[in-house]
Amino acid sequence: MINAKVELRCGEVVFFEGDAPTTAFLIESGSVEISTTQADEVVVLGRLGPGDLLGEMAVIDASPRTATATAIADSVLVAIDQATIHERVENADPVVRALIRGQLKRYRTALAALRGEDADVDGAADATLAAEAAEGGGIDKIRLETQLKQALAERQLEVRFQPIEAIDARRVAGYEALIRWNHPERGAVSPAEFIKLAEETSLIVPVGRYVLEEVCATLAALGAADTECPYIAVNVSARQTEDDDFLEELVRIAGERRVPVGAVRLEITESLTLDVARVHRLITRCHARGVKVALDDFGTGYSNLGHLHKLRFDTVKLDQGFVRQMLSDARSHAIVRAIVTMVAALGAELVAEGVETEAQMAGLQHLGVRYGQGYLFGRPMAREELVASHA
Ligand code: C2E
Ligand code: CA
Ligand code: CA
């Protein structure tokens, strides 16, 4: 029974206090009174009208109805079944889920206190909340999010720079900026963990700005006005590509540091949610400013040849998975060979990621790959170390 209509005459009861919850209701028309019986006396808790939800609390935490609902006018309700509500709650963002359950628990406690009952009666909501916390869902995320905000304010975030090598010349062509969070209790938190969290909230905007500031400051320290200066590539998340001000912000920050904006490059990872039209606009605007854009992690996840066709990336970064396998697996080797040809035909540069051994480098060089990044060439390093290496 999904979204069935229920018609009630004035005086008819929707549900009784103590009933098992099977459905929530949306009031389309009419009016419903919520009441409870205390010491044999009926106490009216409130009246609901069109647009109001009714009986959803008991459905969410699967506890008996705590009040009786009676139509006080001819009314039409839309019944929303338990499974539909549970599905919505379970699919919600874990933080939102934790917030709903937290509110519900507080409401139940207040209601119990009002009745002079023990506040601990609410076993069902408690159990779900405990389960939520144990699974490290919402609560943990809220904690981490608050700490990330603080980390940003206290500059606990650090940007490191990993060289991108021109393989034939054995010299550094550029660097990739990689963010680190030096967490006081957890130690170094991987960007893979907190960038996703930052993306789910608006925190990615100040985090992204922080990275741009660090990158431009580093380019200034390197003397980026010099044409021989290496570039620095910045990771841009899908959420940031939706921000029309992102590029203007980069132009402004580069201007403040007096570095040519073209010394900064952008890396965009493919994802299911990538809005091709938006990224296309961003790339066009970047090109007008002389900023090059790379397609990151090519060959994994959602690799889509349509994207390569529609979007004029200047660089394609071959995911490290291929580099790891290409010497032991003929099929991987064949795929890398095909990607090299395709990327060259599109007039883009190819950077192989995750190069760890001389043998991998030789294999890539043999296939005509000109740029590599990985521990063989250097690990991500602090700004001081980077600047010293160019002194
Ligand atoms: P990514 O863009 O693919 O960055 C490359 C990752 O591979 C980095 O991990 C780097 O440390 C690691 N790596 C480099 N060389 C090697 C190697 O030879 N072997 C192996 N096994 N790994 C290597 P990291 O720093 O943990 O970053 C993880 C991801 O977090 C990045 O993947 C990127 O998607 C994201 N990220 C990092 N910094 C930022 C940032 O400032 N903004 C955004 N939006 N995302 C970021
Ligand atoms: Ca990257
Ligand atoms: Ca990558």
Side-chain angles (χ1 to χ4, degrees):
M1 179 194 54
I2 295 174
N3 299 356
K5 277 204 177 167
V6 182
E7 291 183 19
L8 295 162
R9 314 284 299 169
C10 179
E12 270 189 272
V13 171
V14 189
F15 52 74
F16 286 102
E17 190 168 344
D19 277 0
T22 51
T23 335
F25 301 91
L26 176 68
I27 303 176
E28 278 219 330
S29 64
S31 182
V32 174
E33 188 175 84
I34 311 295
S35 62
T36 178
T37 309
Q38 278 179 21
D40 289 339
E41 212 173 296
V42 175
V43 181
V44 175
L45 297 173
R47 291 196 178 92
L48 302 174
D52 287 335
L53 264 181
L54 175 66
E56 79 287 4
M57 294 261 190
V59 173
I60 293 173
D61 68 3
S63 51
R65 304 284 192 194
T66 50
T68 296
T70 313
I72 51 170
D74 289 354
S75 305
V76 178
L77 313 183
V78 178
I80 311 165
D81 71 332
Q82 201 170 20
T84 305
I85 293 190
H86 281 174
E87 191 187 326
R88 296 279 165 150
V89 173
E90 290 320 310
N91 288 337
D93 178 285
V95 173
V96 174
R97 209 158 58 217
L99 290 175
I100 292 174
R101 293 198 167 132
Q103 286 297 318
L104 207 57
K105 188 184 174 199
R106 201 175 297 163
Y107 166 78
R108 296 270 182 232
T109 311
L111 206 64
L114 202 72
R115 294 185 167 153
E117 291 167 5
D118 185 353
D120 256 4
V121 289
D122 183 19
D126 251 354
T128 35
L129 205 74
E132 187 85 17
E135 106 195 3
I139 303 291
D140 229 23
K141 263 193 173 176
I142 293 176
R143 195 176 298 132
L144 204 61
E145 192 185 325
T146 311
Q147 290 176 346
L148 181 56
K149 251 183 220 160
Q150 204 179 345
L152 201 60
E154 292 174 6
R155 303 236 141 190
Q156 277 169 16
L157 298 182
E158 184 197 351
V159 179
R160 294 196 155 236
F161 303 89
Q162 185 177 32
I164 296 167
E165 187 102 342
I167 299 176
D168 287 338
R170 283 308 295 253
R171 66 171 177 80
V172 173
Y175 293 89
E176 176 174 4
L178 294 162
I179 197 161
R180 295 285 175 268
W181 179 3
N182 301 317
H183 191 285
E185 292 148 32
R186 290 174 170 232
V189 182
S190 156
E193 193 180 332
F194 72 87
I195 287 293
K196 195 164 162 289
L197 180 77
E199 271 176 32
E200 286 170 10
T201 63
S202 47
L203 272 179
I204 192 67
V205 175
V207 168
R209 190 181 306 133
Y210 172 79
V211 173
L212 291 181
E213 276 163 4
E214 287 294 300
V215 163
C216 290
T218 305
L219 283 167
L222 284 174
D226 177 356
T227 47
E228 288 298 298
C229 182
Y231 64 84
I232 299 183
V234 173
N235 290 288
V236 183
S237 69
R239 173 90 182 251
Q240 288 169 287
T241 63
E242 289 165 15
D243 176 7
D244 282 337
D245 293 335
F246 177 79
L247 181 62
E248 297 319 312
E249 183 113 56
L250 167 61
V251 170
R252 180 182 62 75
I253 296 171
E256 278 170 13
R257 294 285 180 176
R258 297 180 192 285
V259 299
V261 72
V264 179
R265 297 191 184 182
L266 306 183
E267 294 191 3
I268 298 175
T269 305
E270 284 188 292
S271 72
L272 266 184
T273 55
L274 201 71
D275 181 334
V276 177
R278 257 184 195 283
V279 176
H280 183 268
R281 273 201 305 279
L282 177 65
I283 293 178
T284 306
R285 289 171 57 221
C286 282
H287 286 171
R289 294 279 193 180
V291 174
K292 291 187 172 175
V293 186
L295 176 60
D296 206 353
D297 301 341
F298 186 70
T300 56
Y302 311 107
S303 291
N304 181 333
L305 289 181
H307 290 169
L308 266 190
H309 169 242
K310 290 189 200 108
L311 303 172
R312 298 193 174 269
F313 288 105
D314 305 279
T315 302
V316 172
K317 296 190 80 173
L318 179 67
D319 188 74
Q320 52 187 50
F322 285 109
V323 176
R324 207 175 299 134
Q325 288 177 30
M326 64 177 250
L327 296 183
S328 56
D329 175 25
R331 296 176 73 86
S332 288
H333 194 267
I335 291 173
V336 175
R337 186 200 303 274
I339 292 177
V340 172
T341 309
M342 180 180 67
V343 172
L346 290 173
E349 244 173 32
L350 186 67
V351 176
E353 299 192 279
V355 185
E356 294 181 352
T357 67
E358 292 281 347
Q360 286 169 344
M361 185 190 70
L364 289 164
Q365 211 169 5
H366 183 72
L367 288 177
V369 177
R370 295 182 47 216
Y371 298 94
Q373 179 181 354
Y375 298 159
L376 178 69
F377 307 115
R379 294 198 175 240
M381 56 182 140
R383 181 203 292 174
E384 301 72 45
E385 201 182 333
L386 162 74
V387 173
S389 73
H390 283 270

PDB file of all heavy atoms in Angstrom, residues 180-199:
ATOM      1  N   ARG A 180      46.991  17.353   3.128  1.00  0.00           N
ATOM      2  CA  ARG A 180      47.163  16.453   4.281  1.00  0.00           C
ATOM      3  C   ARG A 180      46.474  17.091   5.477  1.00  0.00           C
ATOM      4  O   ARG A 180      46.514  18.309   5.630  1.00  0.00           O
ATOM      5  CB  ARG A 180      48.652  16.309   4.630  1.00  0.00           C
ATOM      6  CG  ARG A 180      49.470  15.628   3.569  1.00  0.00           C
ATOM      7  CD  ARG A 180      49.194  14.138   3.572  1.00  0.00           C
ATOM      8  NE  ARG A 180      49.875  13.461   2.490  1.00  0.00           N
ATOM      9  CZ  ARG A 180      49.332  13.242   1.299  1.00  0.00           C
ATOM     10  NH1 ARG A 180      48.123  13.676   1.038  1.00  0.00           N
ATOM     11  NH2 ARG A 180      49.991  12.598   0.372  1.00  0.00           N
ATOM     12  N   TRP A 181      45.905  16.266   6.338  1.00  0.00           N
ATOM     13  CA  TRP A 181      45.340  16.770   7.596  1.00  0.00           C
ATOM     14  C   TRP A 181      46.109  16.116   8.739  1.00  0.00           C
ATOM     15  O   TRP A 181      45.998  14.927   8.950  1.00  0.00           O
ATOM     16  CB  TRP A 181      43.851  16.432   7.672  1.00  0.00           C
ATOM     17  CG  TRP A 181      43.182  16.881   8.945  1.00  0.00           C
ATOM     18  CD1 TRP A 181      43.731  17.581   9.977  1.00  0.00           C
ATOM     19  CD2 TRP A 181      41.823  16.651   9.306  1.00  0.00           C
ATOM     20  NE1 TRP A 181      42.808  17.817  10.955  1.00  0.00           N
ATOM     21  CE2 TRP A 181      41.620  17.252  10.574  1.00  0.00           C
ATOM     22  CE3 TRP A 181      40.749  15.999   8.696  1.00  0.00           C
ATOM     23  CZ2 TRP A 181      40.392  17.210  11.230  1.00  0.00           C
ATOM     24  CZ3 TRP A 181      39.540  15.956   9.352  1.00  0.00           C
ATOM     25  CH2 TRP A 181      39.368  16.562  10.608  1.00  0.00           C
ATOM     26  N   ASN A 182      46.884  16.926   9.407  1.00  0.00           N
ATOM     27  CA  ASN A 182      47.618  16.405  10.561  1.00  0.00           C
ATOM     28  C   ASN A 182      46.724  16.534  11.788  1.00  0.00           C
ATOM     29  O   ASN A 182      46.709  17.550  12.465  1.00  0.00           O
ATOM     30  CB  ASN A 182      48.923  17.181  10.728  1.00  0.00           C
ATOM     31  CG  ASN A 182      49.784  17.077   9.476  1.00  0.00           C
ATOM     32  OD1 ASN A 182      49.927  16.009   8.891  1.00  0.00           O
ATOM     33  ND2 ASN A 182      50.337  18.198   9.040  1.00  0.00           N
ATOM     34  N   HIS A 183      45.974  15.462  12.039  1.00  0.00           N
ATOM     35  CA  HIS A 183      44.969  15.457  13.096  1.00  0.00           C
ATOM     36  C   HIS A 183      45.631  15.176  14.439  1.00  0.00           C
ATOM     37  O   HIS A 183      46.424  14.239  14.554  1.00  0.00           O
ATOM     38  CB  HIS A 183      43.941  14.370  12.770  1.00  0.00           C
ATOM     39  CG  HIS A 183      42.713  14.409  13.609  1.00  0.00           C
ATOM     40  ND1 HIS A 183      42.702  13.980  14.903  1.00  0.00           N
ATOM     41  CD2 HIS A 183      41.463  14.823  13.322  1.00  0.00           C
ATOM     42  CE1 HIS A 183      41.482  14.125  15.385  1.00  0.00           C
ATOM     43  NE2 HIS A 183      40.711  14.632  14.447  1.00  0.00           N
ATOM     44  N   PRO A 184      45.315  15.993  15.468  1.00  0.00           N
ATOM     45  CA  PRO A 184      46.009  15.826  16.755  1.00  0.00           C
ATOM     46  C   PRO A 184      45.818  14.439  17.393  1.00  0.00           C
ATOM     47  O   PRO A 184      46.725  13.939  18.047  1.00  0.00           O
ATOM     48  CB  PRO A 184      45.416  16.922  17.641  1.00  0.00           C
ATOM     49  CG  PRO A 184      44.262  17.494  16.915  1.00  0.00           C
ATOM     50  CD  PRO A 184      44.397  17.134  15.468  1.00  0.00           C
ATOM     51  N   GLU A 185      44.639  13.805  17.195  1.00  0.00           N
ATOM     52  CA  GLU A 185      44.422  12.474  17.790  1.00  0.00           C
ATOM     53  C   GLU A 185      44.570  11.350  16.768  1.00  0.00           C
ATOM     54  O   GLU A 185      45.161  10.322  17.045  1.00  0.00           O
ATOM     55  CB  GLU A 185      43.024  12.380  18.397  1.00  0.00           C
ATOM     56  CG  GLU A 185      42.833  13.266  19.605  1.00  0.00           C
ATOM     57  CD  GLU A 185      41.397  13.760  19.713  1.00  0.00           C
ATOM     58  OE1 GLU A 185      40.480  13.030  19.299  1.00  0.00           O
ATOM     59  OE2 GLU A 185      41.204  14.898  20.184  1.00  0.00           O
ATOM     60  N   ARG A 186      44.031  11.557  15.589  1.00  0.00           N
ATOM     61  CA  ARG A 186      44.025  10.481  14.597  1.00  0.00           C
ATOM     62  C   ARG A 186      45.323  10.375  13.813  1.00  0.00           C
ATOM     63  O   ARG A 186      45.507   9.450  13.039  1.00  0.00           O
ATOM     64  CB  ARG A 186      42.907  10.714  13.585  1.00  0.00           C
ATOM     65  CG  ARG A 186      41.529  10.534  14.142  1.00  0.00           C
ATOM     66  CD  ARG A 186      40.556  10.948  13.076  1.00  0.00           C
ATOM     67  NE  ARG A 186      39.204  10.578  13.436  1.00  0.00           N
ATOM     68  CZ  ARG A 186      38.388   9.895  12.648  1.00  0.00           C
ATOM     69  NH1 ARG A 186      38.782   9.489  11.473  1.00  0.00           N
ATOM     70  NH2 ARG A 186      37.176   9.600  13.026  1.00  0.00           N
ATOM     71  N   GLY A 187      46.186  11.367  13.920  1.00  0.00           N
ATOM     72  CA  GLY A 187      47.396  11.373  13.100  1.00  0.00           C
ATOM     73  C   GLY A 187      47.055  11.919  11.723  1.00  0.00           C
ATOM     74  O   GLY A 187      46.132  12.712  11.591  1.00  0.00           O
ATOM     75  N   ALA A 188      47.784  11.444  10.713  1.00  0.00           N
ATOM     76  CA  ALA A 188      47.526  11.952   9.359  1.00  0.00           C
ATOM     77  C   ALA A 188      46.243  11.324   8.823  1.00  0.00           C
ATOM     78  O   ALA A 188      46.150  10.120   8.676  1.00  0.00           O
ATOM     79  CB  ALA A 188      48.705  11.612   8.457  1.00  0.00           C
ATOM     80  N   VAL A 189      45.247  12.157   8.544  1.00  0.00           N
ATOM     81  CA  VAL A 189      43.987  11.658   7.980  1.00  0.00           C
ATOM     82  C   VAL A 189      44.094  11.756   6.459  1.00  0.00           C
ATOM     83  O   VAL A 189      44.450  12.807   5.923  1.00  0.00           O
ATOM     84  CB  VAL A 189      42.780  12.488   8.475  1.00  0.00           C
ATOM     85  CG1 VAL A 189      41.479  11.935   7.924  1.00  0.00           C
ATOM     86  CG2 VAL A 189      42.733  12.504  10.004  1.00  0.00           C
ATOM     87  N   SER A 190      43.806  10.654   5.789  1.00  0.00           N
ATOM     88  CA  SER A 190      43.931  10.612   4.327  1.00  0.00           C
ATOM     89  C   SER A 190      42.924  11.544   3.662  1.00  0.00           C
ATOM     90  O   SER A 190      41.761  11.603   4.059  1.00  0.00           O
ATOM     91  CB  SER A 190      43.699   9.177   3.861  1.00  0.00           C
ATOM     92  OG  SER A 190      43.263   9.182   2.521  1.00  0.00           O
ATOM     93  N   PRO A 191      43.374  12.246   2.621  1.00  0.00           N
ATOM     94  CA  PRO A 191      42.420  13.107   1.901  1.00  0.00           C
ATOM     95  C   PRO A 191      41.263  12.278   1.342  1.00  0.00           C
ATOM     96  O   PRO A 191      40.151  12.775   1.217  1.00  0.00           O
ATOM     97  CB  PRO A 191      43.253  13.735   0.785  1.00  0.00           C
ATOM     98  CG  PRO A 191      44.505  12.965   0.698  1.00  0.00           C
ATOM     99  CD  PRO A 191      44.714  12.311   2.032  1.00  0.00           C
ATOM    100  N   ALA A 192      41.553  11.011   1.026  1.00  0.00           N
ATOM    101  CA  ALA A 192      40.484  10.165   0.495  1.00  0.00           C
ATOM    102  C   ALA A 192      39.318  10.133   1.479  1.00  0.00           C
ATOM    103  O   ALA A 192      38.156  10.016   1.095  1.00  0.00           O
ATOM    104  CB  ALA A 192      41.015   8.759   0.255  1.00  0.00           C
ATOM    105  N   GLU A 193      39.624  10.262   2.781  1.00  0.00           N
ATOM    106  CA  GLU A 193      38.589  10.214   3.810  1.00  0.00           C
ATOM    107  C   GLU A 193      37.919  11.578   4.003  1.00  0.00           C
ATOM    108  O   GLU A 193      36.711  11.684   3.999  1.00  0.00           O
ATOM    109  CB  GLU A 193      39.211   9.757   5.134  1.00  0.00           C
ATOM    110  CG  GLU A 193      38.203   9.376   6.173  1.00  0.00           C
ATOM    111  CD  GLU A 193      38.862   8.927   7.465  1.00  0.00           C
ATOM    112  OE1 GLU A 193      40.005   8.424   7.402  1.00  0.00           O
ATOM    113  OE2 GLU A 193      38.259   9.110   8.527  1.00  0.00           O
ATOM    114  N   PHE A 194      38.728  12.624   4.153  1.00  0.00           N
ATOM    115  CA  PHE A 194      38.070  13.887   4.529  1.00  0.00           C
ATOM    116  C   PHE A 194      37.634  14.762   3.356  1.00  0.00           C
ATOM    117  O   PHE A 194      36.774  15.615   3.516  1.00  0.00           O
ATOM    118  CB  PHE A 194      38.902  14.674   5.551  1.00  0.00           C
ATOM    119  CG  PHE A 194      40.149  15.310   5.019  1.00  0.00           C
ATOM    120  CD1 PHE A 194      40.108  16.573   4.458  1.00  0.00           C
ATOM    121  CD2 PHE A 194      41.365  14.667   5.110  1.00  0.00           C
ATOM    122  CE1 PHE A 194      41.261  17.185   3.986  1.00  0.00           C
ATOM    123  CE2 PHE A 194      42.519  15.261   4.642  1.00  0.00           C
ATOM    124  CZ  PHE A 194      42.463  16.519   4.073  1.00  0.00           C
ATOM    125  N   ILE A 195      38.206  14.532   2.163  1.00  0.00           N
ATOM    126  CA  ILE A 195      37.754  15.330   1.013  1.00  0.00           C
ATOM    127  C   ILE A 195      36.303  14.982   0.684  1.00  0.00           C
ATOM    128  O   ILE A 195      35.483  15.842   0.380  1.00  0.00           O
ATOM    129  CB  ILE A 195      38.677  15.118  -0.206  1.00  0.00           C
ATOM    130  CG1 ILE A 195      40.008  15.821  -0.004  1.00  0.00           C
ATOM    131  CG2 ILE A 195      38.019  15.608  -1.494  1.00  0.00           C
ATOM    132  CD1 ILE A 195      39.967  17.340   0.022  1.00  0.00           C
ATOM    133  N   LYS A 196      35.983  13.685   0.818  1.00  0.00           N
ATOM    134  CA  LYS A 196      34.618  13.246   0.543  1.00  0.00           C
ATOM    135  C   LYS A 196      33.650  13.926   1.526  1.00  0.00           C
ATOM    136  O   LYS A 196      32.592  14.403   1.149  1.00  0.00           O
ATOM    137  CB  LYS A 196      34.552  11.721   0.683  1.00  0.00           C
ATOM    138  CG  LYS A 196      33.326  11.106   0.107  1.00  0.00           C
ATOM    139  CD  LYS A 196      33.500   9.604  -0.067  1.00  0.00           C
ATOM    140  CE  LYS A 196      32.166   8.924  -0.218  1.00  0.00           C
ATOM    141  NZ  LYS A 196      31.386   8.905   1.037  1.00  0.00           N
ATOM    142  N   LEU A 197      34.082  13.980   2.774  1.00  0.00           N
ATOM    143  CA  LEU A 197      33.277  14.627   3.809  1.00  0.00           C
ATOM    144  C   LEU A 197      33.122  16.119   3.504  1.00  0.00           C
ATOM    145  O   LEU A 197      32.030  16.683   3.615  1.00  0.00           O
ATOM    146  CB  LEU A 197      33.968  14.438   5.167  1.00  0.00           C
ATOM    147  CG  LEU A 197      33.283  15.054   6.361  1.00  0.00           C
ATOM    148  CD1 LEU A 197      32.106  14.205   6.783  1.00  0.00           C
ATOM    149  CD2 LEU A 197      34.254  15.179   7.532  1.00  0.00           C
ATOM    150  N   ALA A 198      34.237  16.745   3.106  1.00  0.00           N
ATOM    151  CA  ALA A 198      34.192  18.171   2.796  1.00  0.00           C
ATOM    152  C   ALA A 198      33.279  18.438   1.601  1.00  0.00           C
ATOM    153  O   ALA A 198      32.603  19.458   1.537  1.00  0.00           O
ATOM    154  CB  ALA A 198      35.604  18.695   2.515  1.00  0.00           C
ATOM    155  N   GLU A 199      33.268  17.477   0.670  1.00  0.00           N
ATOM    156  CA  GLU A 199      32.423  17.634  -0.518  1.00  0.00           C
ATOM    157  C   GLU A 199      30.940  17.540  -0.183  1.00  0.00           C
ATOM    158  O   GLU A 199      30.108  18.154  -0.834  1.00  0.00           O
ATOM    159  CB  GLU A 199      32.729  16.534  -1.534  1.00  0.00           C
ATOM    160  CG  GLU A 199      33.827  16.894  -2.494  1.00  0.00           C
ATOM    161  CD  GLU A 199      34.159  15.740  -3.411  1.00  0.00           C
ATOM    162  OE1 GLU A 199      33.263  14.951  -3.740  1.00  0.00           O
ATOM    163  OE2 GLU A 199      35.328  15.618  -3.778  1.00  0.00           O
TER     164      GLU A 199
END
